[in-house]
Amino acid sequence: MKQTISFITLGVADLERSRRFYRALGWTESSSSQAEVAFFQVGCIAFALFGREALAEDANVSSEGSGFAGFTVAHNVASESDVESTLSEAVAAGGRLVRPGEKAPWGGFRGYFADPDGFVWEVCYNPFFPLDTQGFVQLPT
């Protein structure tokens, strides 16, 4: 399998509420979006919002479950102050602060927020993984 991720799709309880949340963060919805799915271009990855029940049906799995989903989505930024401002922006847009910005044991600075469906996002400044001119993380080879 080629080492790539093309889409990240979140199954959400209320698609319109989630659309409003991500738009409030300044994200631009793609013209390819439809009533039942919202698409956003996020760098080289496509991000999608789909109804939780419909996504579970599409994958042929149960939609039951709550609590920690077993993964986080990360948004890396260029500085510690950018972590703080991004967390504030997410809360102002309707997100919930999960962990305030603070020094991480490994030498960076990070905090967490949850979107309206409880999906947990890390906002991180990592001095060891610099951002390129387009804001994408550059891992060492």
Side-chain angles (χ1 to χ4, degrees):
M1 182 170 129
K2 186 176 180 181
Q3 187 172 311
T4 185
I5 295 174
S6 304
F7 269 85
I8 294 175
T9 304
L10 302 182
V12 299
D14 182 333
L15 183 57
E16 288 310 310
R17 177 186 67 184
S18 292
R19 277 184 148 117
R20 286 190 306 272
F21 175 76
Y22 287 98
R23 287 177 186 156
L25 289 179
W27 290 28
T28 302
E29 195 169 333
S30 168
S31 62
S32 63
S33 294
Q34 302 166 20
E36 65 278 355
V37 62
F39 295 111
F40 300 85
Q41 187 69 53
V42 290
C44 62
I45 295 175
F47 179 82
L49 302 170
F50 204 70
R52 182 177 175 91
E53 296 285 331
L55 185 59
E57 182 180 326
D58 191 59
N60 197 32
V61 297
S62 172
S63 66
E64 299 300 316
S66 63
F68 182 56
F71 71 93
T72 62
V73 181
H75 176 73
N76 282 42
V77 294
S79 70
E80 292 181 9
S81 63
D82 287 346
V83 170
E84 298 289 2
S85 62
T86 303
L87 290 171
S88 295
E89 184 180 3
V91 170
R96 177 177 51 85
L97 185 65
V98 174
R99 183 179 197 145
E102 63 186 4
K103 292 276 188 192
W106 46 265
F109 191 85
R110 50 88 169 99
Y112 288 84
F113 72 88
D115 77 358
D117 281 274
F119 290 106
V120 179
W121 284 75
E122 176 188 26
V123 181
C124 181
Y125 165 64
N126 185 333
F128 309 107
F129 296 162
L131 303 180
D132 68 13
T133 57
Q134 295 181 330
F136 300 132
V137 170
Q138 297 301 297
L139 295 177
T141 55

